[in-house]
Structures are given as C-alpha cells and as structure tokens.
Amino acid sequence: MINTHNDCQERSKQFKYLELIEWSVQLLTALIWERLLSYHSSETVQKKLEICYRNFSLENASGLSYDNCYRFVYYLKHGENFFIQANQSPHAIQPMLLFYGISQLLKACLIIIDPEYPATSSVLAHGVSSRKRKKQHYHFLKDEIKIQRNGLFSHVVNKLFQLNLLDTDKYSMEFLLGQIAEMDDVFFFHHSKSNFVQIEKIQDKLIIPEKTAQLFHLSANRFAEYLQERYPYYTVTTASKDEAILKNTNPLTIYNCTPFSFHIDNGEFYLPTSRDRLSKLPEILIHYLILYNLSMISRYETEWWYDLLLGSSNDDYPFILRYMEIAKRKIPYFVLNFIEHSL
C-alpha cells in the first residue's frame, strides 16, 4: 500500500511537471506573437524599411518602403492566422496550415532584403519537390525531398542567407528532423541515439571542448579549424589542447547559427555529433522542407495519413506529432529574431 501511494504521488508530480511545461510553452508562443504585433503598424514598418533600404544604398528607398510596408504587415498577419488556425485544428490538416503559414512569414522576411519581390514568376513556385507516389511499406523518416532550381525556397536561400544550393540536393526526413535540437529526445527514446551535444556559449563565443572534438576524431584546435573552413562566418579566437573558442564574424543570431542548433525550450546551443549531420541549411529552411512534405502527404496520401493518425502504427506517428508542436512555436520565434535583427 505504501509503495502504491508513493507511486501515485510520483506520477502526480510528473503530470504536474508536464502541465507546467505545456503552460510555459503556450505562454512563450503567445509572447512571440505579442512581440510581432508591434510590426503590424504600417507607419512604423515604413520608417524602418526606409532606413533599411537606404542602408542597402537602394534608389527610391522612400517609395519602396511605402510600397512594401502594407505588404509586409499583410504577409505577417496572414502567416500568424495560419499558425493560430493550426493550433486550433485537428492534426490531420495542421501540416497544410503550417506550411502556408511559414511561406507567408518568409515572404515578409524577404521584402526586407529584396524590395522587388517577386520580380519574376519563377520565384512564386514552392521550389522543392517530393516523391509523388509513396511506395509500399513507406516510412516518413526515409522519405526524401529534392531542391529545385527556381522557386521560393531557392530565392530565400540566396537572398536571406547568401547560400547557393544545388538543384540536385536531396534531404531525407530523418536527416532534417535530426537537425532540430528539440527532436533529440525523440530520437533517443525510439532509436537509442542522440544527435546532439550541448555547446557552452559565453556572450558571442562558442566553446568547443576536447571531449566534443573527439566525437569527430579531431583535436579541439583542428576541429575548430575544420568548422571555420566549412562555415567561413566563424573565426577561431582561442585554441589549445583542451578547448577552442569560435566567434561569429556577424552577431550570433538564433535564426542562422548553423551548424549549431538553438533549443527554444532551454535557450542552449547544440552541435550535431557526427560530420554527416553537419548541415549548411539554416533551421528555418529545414522547417520549410519538412512542412512541404507533410503538407503534400496530408493532401494527396490521405489513406496512409489517416492510417498513421488513427492507428499510430509505427514510429512515424510520435516523430511527426512531436515535430509539429515544435514547429508551431519555433518558426515564429525564428521570424521574430530575423525581423528584429534586420529592421
């Protein structure tokens, strides 16, 4: 009887802890949209866009800012409405709402950097493609998505992050989900492996200890040099046998800290634990790719989709549902971070 009573108390504590986490997540999400509300003023946005365009030495910065201030606000509001509806809708249609939501939010970010967007019709397409027909014994984690030469995705990659990706690039869902720090406990529970190691951050510097470098079979000094070669926006400020210190040549931003991943729940930075997981894709673009594929599945693979949602038949179910909960709060956070650093 005593053990049963103690077990009940322990379970009660766990439920209360989970309720507290859920409440904290809801509060964080509400605060993000509340902060973005400040950018719903066309008057304020116009002034900020004009300053931004003048810093880019663009002709007619004033006229462009007037043309784009309402577009910016409308993209932002439209994206927010999709996310709010996703939070209130069944899981079955959430991928579509979240994908259209992230597309609108990225367009708001785009016109900060590219005031002529869309200059041509070639940037209006999604810019990615997925397998049209799912094979027998299909598993979402093994599915792949392919980058196309033209479209919104490639335009965002080039304009917002100054990257050039090949149109032959393919990414598996397992690889993409493995780039998101908040998904690590799901991978560990179901696959008994961890994809990340936590990295200490002091102001704008990231500390790489010897223990972390050994995961890549390198010394701390050599591993830091390797990261600097692969990601030129990092410089090695200090290197020794025991640790190396990396500094971002630009202010370290949450929306673009590859190959590191920012964990929104604990505010810490994480690094993938193997070379084949070191990506150049900023995480917000990873969300775009995953949500595109999920939205296509929910629209065109209805039988498989409902088998998954109603039958919980394999590991795809907890991975997908956990991912969508993360996406609802992390994507707006990235967008807010980008806007606040750009305007």
Side-chain angles (χ1 to χ4, degrees), residues 193-316:
K193 65 177 180 180
S194 177
N195 295 323
F196 287 100
V197 60
Q198 186 175 329
I199 297 296
E200 183 181 4
K201 176 180 175 289
I202 301 177
Q203 295 179 338
D204 60 346
K205 297 181 178 65
L206 297 164
I207 315 300
I208 310 293
E210 181 73 15
K211 184 178 180 180
T212 298
Q214 287 176 353
L215 296 172
F216 298 83
H217 308 291
L218 295 171
S219 67
N221 185 22
R222 180 65 193 99
F223 181 57
E225 291 175 351
Y226 169 78
L227 290 177
Q228 182 177 261
E229 292 166 5
R230 185 176 172 85
Y231 306 94
Y233 39 83
Y234 289 108
T235 58
V236 181
T237 62
T238 306
S240 67
K241 180 181 177 181
D242 298 325
E243 68 176 23
I245 300 177
L246 284 176
K247 182 178 181 181
N248 200 315
T249 52
N250 299 316
L252 185 63
T253 55
I254 291 166
Y255 70 85
N256 186 20
C257 58
T258 50
F260 304 94
S261 178
F262 178 76
H263 197 302
I264 194 172
D265 296 332
N266 62 22
E268 301 291 346
F269 286 84
Y270 290 79
L271 180 71
T273 53
S274 62
R275 293 193 195 202
D276 59 355
R277 290 191 174 276
L278 293 177
S279 172
K280 291 187 176 181
L281 276 180
E283 190 178 323
I284 193 168
L285 298 179
I286 288 171
H287 289 282
Y288 183 93
L289 295 176
I290 297 172
L291 288 173
Y292 171 81
N293 199 23
L294 281 174
S295 70
M296 294 295 284
I297 291 170
S298 67
R299 277 182 283 178
Y300 301 115
E301 299 294 334
T302 311
E303 184 178 355
W304 182 89
W305 184 233
Y306 274 88
D307 277 346
L308 178 78
L309 294 178
L310 300 179
S312 309
S313 55
N314 59 45
D315 286 353
D316 286 343

Side-chain angles (χ1 to χ4, degrees), residues 98-112:
L98 292 172
F99 176 70
Y100 287 119
I102 191 175
S103 299
Q104 296 298 315
L105 294 176
L106 284 174
K107 289 174 184 177
C109 295
L110 259 179
I111 60 177
I112 297 174

